[in-house]
Amino acid sequence: MLFVLRFYAEELTELALVPDVEFVEQAALDDNAYQDPAMWFSRPGKGVNDPARWQPAAAEGSAPEPVTADAEDAPPFAVFFVHPTSFLDNDAWNAPLEDEESQTRARLMVRGMASAFNRASEIWAPRYRQATYGAFLTDAPEAGRALDAAYADIETAFDFFVDSIPEDMPIVIAGHSQGGYHVVRLLTDKLKGSELMDRVAVAYPIGMPISIQTDLPALGLPACATAQQAGCVASWASFAEPADPGQYLRLYGDTPGIDGEVREGTPILCVNPVTGTLNGEAEASDNLGTLVPEDDLASGELVAGSVPARCDPESGILLIGDPPELGQYVLPGNNYHVYDIPLFWRNLQQDVVNRVRQWQPTPAS
């Protein structure tokens, strides 16, 4: 159903996707709910059935830098990955865990996105009762309640994740779109000011607009200014040219910052995923591998040197040149939001390892 976004105006999109039903409070999950392996798309022990351990092949005639799914050449680290919105229905504000369509779609998203972190020692990607897509298209109070409910599941999963990994292992927290929203909340609500924050090698709330003025100071970590920096935040939002980020910027400006101040007109964080630098610029030849999906999104192949990237100094969006052919899920305005990670799959795989290598544990006092 996501394809409707390609054809309809903003008003019709919102009418089609924003629920017109009463919000129903979810019962809290049991404290031990995430002990059940079935509550995870990815976690240690899943073996060949773990979508995050998928390794795409290089396209014929393309020669990306060699990639490996094992972690022998990478330092030990654990990834907590929150998948983006896969529930598109307008008959409920939160997705039931038994909704097969959204769960199948979420698993494909984990395969195409969390797999960029497959050099990690451990990857954990929880199932959760996500807010529906329409919750991001309205300021109705029900939308906030739906996101709060989804975050409650994520917080419970994160607690189990922390309790399950080695105490001295660095942590990478990553998510896309709604997943990026929950990453931001973990940083602000749970990690900021805690000893656990010292273990965060990097946070990737990808696809979520972060105001440098009203949001970033509240996250407890600085922006990733260089490619060799650890303990920082990296995010970007991809648009092909000519770009029309009007809807994206309107929603950004209409939402108050974490500090409660107005975000409209404030610069948006843009860390270039090719260079790993704040407000960077890169030629297509520097892109080590774009994951080009098959039509069914169940597979894909890496194509090197096909997509450039430069942070626009005025809007804060990431411009990727002429529209690449990646599939049917390009949003209005040449918005490549759905492909934020696949566009730079191989560079992200390298970026996270570089940052973990720079991470150093805080000396005991």
Side-chain angles (χ1 to χ4, degrees):
M1 186 175 161
L2 189 59
F3 70 89
V4 300
L5 294 173
R6 303 177 65 229
F7 301 111
Y8 295 99
E10 293 180 21
E11 293 80 5
L12 292 180
T13 298
E14 294 175 13
L15 181 64
L17 297 178
V18 176
D20 187 22
V21 296
E22 182 180 354
F23 176 81
V24 177
E25 195 73 43
Q26 298 182 138
L29 294 175
D30 293 338
D31 290 342
N32 63 351
Y34 284 97
Q35 290 182 4
D36 183 356
M39 286 294 290
W40 299 88
F41 289 113
S42 297
R43 57 161 290 170
K46 288 282 188 179
V48 297
N49 295 318
D50 190 332
R53 292 298 180 183
W54 176 64
Q55 178 62 52
E60 184 177 355
S62 181
E65 184 177 313
V67 295
T68 177
D70 65 54
E72 291 181 1
D73 61 341
F77 66 102
V79 174
F80 184 80
F81 181 86
V82 187
H83 71 75
T85 308
S86 63
F87 185 62
L88 310 175
D89 293 3
N90 64 359
D91 58 358
W93 284 97
N94 289 89
L97 289 176
E98 61 272 16
D99 183 75
E100 293 185 9
E101 184 177 1
S102 65
Q103 294 299 292
T104 298
R105 191 180 292 119
R107 183 178 176 84
L108 290 175
M109 291 172 169
V110 171
R111 181 178 173 90
M113 298 181 187
S115 59
F117 301 94
N118 64 18
R119 294 174 70 188
S121 309
E122 301 187 14
I123 307 175
W124 298 71
R127 299 172 62 212
Y128 68 105
R129 293 171 293 181
Q130 62 189 280
T132 188
Y133 187 90
F136 288 91
L137 301 175
T138 178
D139 58 1
E142 290 86 353
R145 296 175 69 185
L147 288 166
D148 288 345
Y151 175 72
D153 286 2
I154 293 300
E155 188 174 33
T156 301
F158 185 75
D159 286 342
F160 184 81
F161 159 77
V162 171
D163 289 342
S164 301
I165 64 175
E167 292 183 0
D168 58 348
M169 182 175 284
I171 294 170
V172 171
I173 306 176
H176 180 257
S177 195
Q178 180 171 172
Y181 168 86
H182 295 306
V183 167
V184 167
R185 287 195 64 171
L186 284 173
L187 291 174
T188 57
D189 296 357
K190 195 168 191 67
L191 295 176
K192 186 179 179 183
S194 72
E195 293 183 0
L196 188 58
M197 182 69 100
D198 293 335
R199 291 174 58 188
V200 177
V202 59
Y204 295 102
I206 299 168
M208 283 302 296
I210 296 173
S211 169
I212 291 178
Q213 291 181 201
T214 69
D215 298 332
L216 186 62
L219 300 187
L221 295 174
C224 293
T226 73
Q228 303 303 320
Q229 181 181 356
C232 58
V233 178
S235 183
W236 60 89
S238 310
F239 283 78
E241 300 175 76
D244 179 10
Q247 184 182 22
Y248 176 83
L249 295 177
R250 175 178 65 81
L251 292 172
Y252 167 75
D254 287 348
T255 307
I258 296 173
D259 64 1
E261 298 298 320
V262 175
R263 294 202 298 181
E264 184 175 8
T266 63
I268 297 174
L269 174 67
C270 180
V271 174
N272 191 307
V274 175
T275 65
T277 59
L278 184 64
N279 301 324
E281 183 171 351
E283 301 294 332
S285 58
D286 297 321
N287 190 323
L288 301 177
T290 295
L291 177 56
V292 179
E294 300 292 341
D295 289 343
D296 62 1
L297 303 181
S299 189
E301 55 188 14
L302 289 175
V303 178
S306 63
V307 179
R310 63 183 177 90
C311 292
D312 180 54
E314 294 185 6
S315 63
I317 64 174
L318 184 74
L319 297 172
I320 61 170
D322 294 334
E325 291 293 333
L326 294 185
Q328 64 177 318
Y329 300 113
V330 180
L331 307 183
N334 267 337
N335 185 345
Y336 274 70
H337 175 75
V338 175
Y339 304 100
D340 281 326
I341 291 177
L343 280 162
F344 312 104
W345 191 97
R346 180 65 183 97
N347 288 84
L348 180 56
Q349 188 191 48
Q350 178 174 289
D351 184 80
V352 63
V353 173
N354 286 343
R355 297 191 191 281
V356 172
R357 284 190 177 124
Q358 298 303 313
W359 176 85
Q360 296 292 330
T362 302
S365 58

